Amino acid sequence: MSTITAVETSDVRFPTSVELDGSDAMNPDPDYSAAYLVIRTDSPDGLEGHGFVFTIGRGNEVEAAAIQALAGHLLGKNCEELLADMGGTWKMMVHDSQLRWLGPEKGVMHMAIGAVVNALWDLKAKRAGLPLWQLLARMSPEEIVALVDFRYLSDALTPAEALDILQRAVPGRQERETMLLAEGYPGYTTTPGWLGYSDERLIRLSGEAVQDGFGQIKLKVGADLDDDIRRLRAARATVGPDVRIAVDANQRWDVDTAVEWIRQLAPFDLAWVEEPTSPDDVLGHAAIARAIAPVRVATGEHVANRVVFKQMLQAGSLQVLQIDAARVAGVNENVAILLLAAKFGVPVCPHAGGVGLCEAVQHLSMFDFVAVSGEKEDRVIEFVDHLHEHFVTPVDVRQGRYWAPLAPGGGSQMLAATLQTYAFPDGPAWAAGIEQEMAH
Amino acid sequence: MSTITAVETSDVRFPTSVELDGSDAMNPDPDYSAAYLVIRTDSPDGLEGHGFVFTIGRGNEVEAAAIQALAGHLLGKNCEELLADMGGTWKMMVHDSQLRWLGPEKGVMHMAIGAVVNALWDLKAKRAGLPLWQLLARMSPEEIVALVDFRYLSDALTPAEALDILQRAVPGRQERETMLLAEGYPGYTTTPGWLGYSDERLIRLSGEAVQDGFGQIKLKVGADLDDDIRRLRAARATVGPDVRIAVDANQRWDVDTAVEWIRQLAPFDLAWVEEPTSPDDVLGHAAIARAIAPVRVATGEHVANRVVFKQMLQAGSLQVLQIDAARVAGVNENVAILLLAAKFGVPVCPHAGGVGLCEAVQHLSMFDFVAVSGEKEDRVIEFVDHLHEHFVTPVDVRQGRYWAPLAPGGGSQMLAATLQTYAFPDGPAWAAGIEQEMAH
């Protein structure tokens, strides 16, 4: 047996606001950041579990404090026992009766649990010598069901229904794994479409996206209608009729405004409209979806937990479900959400970008394809070509596709040099310009 | 003018788990706590603003860190400008584009904003020489509307509708204020009903509640059906048919379980069933409410924000709306919620207890009576006789009623000695037994 000997947290921030990478209608000047943790054990294998919460700057230190608040559930514990029962390990943290008050199951504390859960999965996959997607996709249906907490889900999905979904996918697992390794998984790119970019940059990057093989791009909208129409027209003219264009409002609108605005953009043939309003507004999204059909509503990157996703599926609030690797409580909760989506027959197209979200979330889509939905038609993983160089196993995206990672682990490990250079506020990347940055 | 010179945070915890005060089906061993802040200025008046987030122990330090993360919005700022435009001040914090990622508008960061907002209101009321309820109730309808952020609400409540509600209440304000000062505001008590108490204690405390003049008590349920039936039978026999008995499941059930369980308890004539399931489950609460009618569903103490309350009102998820002084983003957001409840004609019966929740929330119900709904029929403020001695202006609850506070401020200021004695982990109340406490 081995014992967990350390839970180390870091506050890592990249000064992205300088270039307006990642700018949108609600997030004008993000500094992409990670509240990061490393789990160490006394095992002679020397393997570590790495995980993080993605944030956009201020408050990253609060998220790091929340991760540290969970250390008591790990330090000194038998590592094999925790990893052997990941369903139980998840419940131990999510159901901590005192910490639960701080959500429940939402916000800073829930995301912190997600980082810890993902770090444990990273360690478990490294010990198994498998990439996370393959580790998950080789578990039995019964083992996968045991990862999920069905509390608050049973009116929409029972353990028996989940088991049935997974069992139906077993016969095709091998064939789909082979297909995945040969073909990759489709991606789409948001790189051209940030609001802070000039029209010239938008057009140039849209053209490059098509040349790079992407079948879909995404544009940020919602700040100014005339700007949105002009930018969409330019993008459509650049990519032609066969490349899909999605738009993303980043929660900018109320219900009525969303409906009116989207109707103005619909002639440009939208793949979906993302985050039209508050991510908490199940009924609002449903009203928007009814009004703008057949244009599809997509949401999920800010949906707090599986209970809200459940309702969005029940109410028809979304036609594209966007999981995020670092918003809910980690792999286990995303497995629950993948099963809910499969039950309702809704395609899952993950949110990614940020810091490490591409590296992490690809494992979940690939697991979904092999062992849950069995589908990758009409499914794409978001891609932003940004900050991947800071990861030990960066994504391999070529020809508009994610190529399945083969390195053991969950993809979440940053380079040691990055953790030092971008440590906030004392790392070399910050120490010089810190006063200027803190001021804005 | 005056400038904000300090934002001091404290981690205050009371070792309540020793006595099982506050125990329920989801919270078996709470240590009632407050992440507390004091705002100081350089004004010669020496007045301070005090505010807090109530938590139940572990993680209180994370909440304190979240409050500290907001200090940059206050330190060095012109205090009069912040206090003169509390609507703008609220938006400045809630719409902080980087901090928003940590919710959005939910969990640790949103509650921290609530504490800061409430501390500013405490200071504003002290400067006005008025209790908070009176300060609010003497603002013009236009000033009150300007406190509210209508983003995401306009499909249910527009500024014009809110103004209309408030204007209709103006003519009766003076009469209702006189009535409130003469009669008090009805309370109910949860003191008898904690799950950790023996039947003997439940019976004794229920009898005392009736003798003390309470017209309603509340019992915790949801751990064991036979226990619940036995305890309800004993309580009903003790208090007789005319005292209302509410039950509180603290989110213990899934939808179907809730319906079945409540049907078994309904013969005891329930005032309401509180928190039958996840506080995020708008549709689940609506399904339960339809199934158990005419028994009423109550919820709100864990409802994250006004957007979720909006939907619960739209969907018929609750028939009793329970605001909480320290869950949403402070006074401003609770004003929005009171206006939503008035629009939908749903009675507001605040959650209280904990640490200082009674002291804080009474102001909101009294403001609502004088200047919003104009009603106190079928409305009661929760009361738990616990920890009030730690406040500078503890509630005055006699004859089963809250008597209107007259001291200037929002009621949220703790005694300086309490802040020292119960400081965690180094205060005298903790220093001795700390190892034992940390272990559980």
Side-chain angles (χ1 to χ4, degrees), chain B residues 166-176:
Chain B
L166 293 162
Q167 284 173 337
R168 276 187 276 131
V170 169
R173 281 184 178 189
Q174 186 56 56
E175 183 187 356
R176 285 191 297 274

Side-chain angles (χ1 to χ4, degrees), chain A residues 4 6-7 37-41 47-50 74 116 119-120 123:
Chain A
I4 295 180
V7 177
L37 86 151
V38 183
I39 297 172
R40 299 186 204 281
T41 81
L47 296 173
E48 303 163 348
H50 291 243
L74 302 175
V116 172
L120 289 169
L123 178 57

